[in-house]
Amino acid sequence: MQSEVPGDSLSSLFLVQDFAVVMIVAAVILAVTHKLKQPMIIGYIVAGMIIGPHTPPFSLIQSIDTLDAFSELGIIMFLFVIGTDFPIAKLRSVGRISIIVALSETIGTMIISYYVAQALQFSFRDSLFLALGMSISSTIVIVRILEELSMIRDKSATLMLGVLIVEDIIAITALGIFQSIAIEGTSDSNQTASVIQIAISVAIVTAFIGITLTLGSRFIPNIIDKIGKTNDYNLLLISILGLAFGLSFLASSLELSVATGAFLAGVLVAESKSAAIARVVTVPLRDVFSALFFISIGALMDISQIPFLILPALILIVTTFASKLLIICVILLRTGYDKNIALRTGLGLSSARAEMSLVVAKTGQQIGAISTSIFPIIGIVTIITTFITPYVMRFAKDLKLSSETPAE
């Protein structure tokens, strides 16, 4: 008799081993970051860098495909749960000023970042994905720090949250467009996509979002409510996961980002009366898979490139921080907001880059649209900005430039 382990059993063993290594290393590093009072995202990324294939002397995981699978699941679950916080009514009520600020500072920062990346000799596609990644503020980091500083009910916090909602929508839409452009474009990374190609990509994304929200909002919330009335949480969980992965698959088959489908699935769930229960039953899954996502980000970073990429990363951080801060403050001051509120809002939104920036980089890498240097650059930016954001926002909280008379 042969004692060799069958191939399928061996693959399963390696999967369990990789999962065990990921969880154990992450737990140890998170304990350290908690002790040092640093954000958990940094702990996840550092844990990933330790176990990754690019860290000497050897990789602690058996298969890079395992990390790719983990990160894909993480993106879907992470964006789905974010979507459950954004019912359509909330999206409509973020306020005119939030929409104006978000569109202005996101597009403005994106344009500036693109030309800075071009000046740093990055290719067209690299510059495009870098610009999008650098233009998005981190909802997770900012909200957590606002809570820690007891600023969550501040007028500036309300403005930040409204802008962050619009930013996430812009990011999801732009990512779908960029992915379509990258897939349909030629192999020459320096060739600018044609106007027709961009128009087609915009039309596909717009149609997908519009049809999903229009038709989906008529049927999906009612179906979820009927399932919720059964009080069978297992059935509810499986049903909403089916929706999340189903729309993610549909988006992927249209050559859009899975993040787009997952986010829209969350929005449809948020329209139901069972949205609160849905969030409760999915949050543990979100925590596990988002942890796996951030760990995979760190593991897939080639740390040998970091010394060569730290300078462009710092240039991009300083450039985008200044552009976001300037655009936000100018708009808020011109619309009658107090100097303190304008500066707090500007500093808060200018400082942090994290989850959506990493999703952009990961998506670009998965479809082969960007070079290997972009991923570690976004990783460096995430680590640095996540570390400095608490200090920036604490400084902003203590600012007293004038007596506050906020605009309504």
Side-chain angles (χ1 to χ4, degrees):
M1 293 180 62
Q2 293 182 347
S3 59
E4 294 181 359
V5 179
D8 290 343
S9 298
L10 192 60
S11 297
S12 299
L13 181 63
F14 285 155
L15 177 62
V16 173
Q17 178 182 328
D18 288 344
F19 193 85
V21 168
V22 166
M23 291 292 102
I24 292 171
V25 174
V28 173
I29 299 301
L30 278 179
V32 175
T33 54
H34 177 75
K35 188 74 174 177
L36 297 175
K37 297 182 179 180
Q38 297 303 314
M40 66 177 181
I41 292 177
I42 292 180
Y44 288 144
I45 294 175
V46 171
M49 292 169 68
I50 291 173
I51 67 174
H54 303 293
T55 304
F58 53 82
S59 174
L60 293 177
I61 59 171
Q62 297 293 325
S63 173
I64 196 71
D65 293 335
T66 301
L67 287 175
D68 283 328
F70 285 164
S71 65
E72 191 80 1
L73 292 172
I75 289 173
I76 292 172
M77 287 304 305
F78 182 68
L79 268 298
F80 169 74
V81 176
I82 286 180
T84 61
D85 286 324
F86 296 147
I88 296 173
K90 184 176 180 180
L91 298 181
R92 290 172 179 163
S93 67
V94 292
R96 185 175 63 90
I97 188 63
S98 296
I99 295 172
I100 293 172
V101 170
L103 284 171
S104 301
E105 56 92 3
T106 303
I107 295 173
T109 303
M110 200 183 303
I111 293 171
I112 292 170
S113 301
Y114 173 81
Y115 283 107
V116 169
Q118 289 278 281
L120 293 171
Q121 304 299 309
F122 287 102
S123 68
F124 167 71
R125 291 181 185 174
D126 285 353
S127 300
L128 207 60
F129 279 83
L130 260 180
L132 179 57
M134 294 301 300
S135 67
I136 311 164
S137 303
S138 170
T139 302
I140 288 178
V141 173
I142 291 174
V143 171
R144 178 159 299 179
I145 294 170
L146 285 172
E147 291 173 344
E148 289 177 357
L149 296 177
S150 300
M151 291 177 62
I152 199 67
R153 295 184 179 179
D154 191 86
K155 181 67 176 178
S156 61
T158 304
L159 281 170
M160 282 186 235
L161 293 173
V163 172
L164 288 169
I165 290 172
V166 182
E167 269 195 3
D168 285 343
I169 296 169
I170 293 171
I172 293 296
T173 306
L175 183 58
I177 294 169
F178 286 6
Q179 182 168 342
S180 295
I181 292 172
I183 291 175
E184 295 171 9
T186 64
S187 59
D188 183 1
S189 60
N190 294 315
Q191 180 174 342
T192 304
S194 67
V195 175
I196 295 177
Q197 180 183 325
I198 294 175
I200 292 173
S201 299
V202 171
I204 292 173
V205 173
T206 304
F208 179 68
I209 293 175
I211 293 172
T212 300
L213 292 181
T214 302
L215 294 181
S217 61
R218 292 183 181 179
F219 305 105
I220 299 299
N222 291 332
I223 294 173
I224 292 173
D225 284 336
K226 288 180 181 178
I227 295 172
K229 288 178 181 178
T230 65
N231 292 322
D232 187 337
Y233 293 157
N234 290 325
L235 177 59
L236 179 63
L237 177 61
I238 296 302
S239 300
I240 59 181
L241 287 180
L243 175 65
F245 283 92
L247 278 179
S248 297
F249 172 74
L250 183 57
S252 180
S253 32
L254 291 173
E255 296 183 341
L256 304 177
S257 169
V258 294
T260 307
F263 179 80
L264 293 177
V267 172
L268 293 178
V269 170
E271 287 294 294
S272 70
K273 297 176 183 177
S274 304
I277 299 173
R279 277 194 293 273
V280 169
V281 298
T282 54
V283 161
L285 286 177
R286 177 206 64 182
D287 292 342
V288 171
F289 284 110
S290 61
L292 292 173
F293 168 67
F294 290 119
I295 291 168
S296 71
I297 293 295
L300 295 172
M301 286 176 57
D302 187 349
I303 62 173
S304 65
Q305 295 188 41
I306 291 178
F308 307 101
L309 299 175
I310 187 70
L311 183 58
L314 290 173
I315 291 173
L316 286 165
I317 289 172
V318 172
T319 303
T320 56
F321 181 90
S323 61
K324 269 182 173 281
L325 178 61
L326 180 61
I327 294 170
I328 292 168
C329 287
V330 167
I331 293 175
L332 292 180
L333 289 173
R334 289 181 67 87
T335 50
Y337 279 86
D338 177 82
K339 292 178 182 179
N340 292 329
I341 293 175
L343 197 54
R344 285 176 193 165
T345 305
L347 287 171
L349 291 171
S350 302
S351 52
R353 310 287 180 277
E355 66 279 358
M356 282 305 301
S357 300
L358 293 169
V359 169
V360 169
K362 178 62 180 174
T363 301
Q365 185 184 65
Q366 283 179 328
I367 62 175
I370 58 176
S371 62
T372 56
S373 62
I374 303 304
F375 204 62
I377 285 180
I378 295 293
I380 294 169
V381 168
T382 296
I383 292 173
I384 293 175
T385 58
T386 301
F387 178 77
I388 66 173
T389 297
Y391 302 100
V392 172
M393 294 183 67
R394 191 172 288 114
F395 169 76
K397 180 184 179 181
D398 295 335
L399 278 177
K400 297 291 181 184
L401 299 180
S402 64
S403 58
E404 296 184 13
T405 55
E408 296 296 334

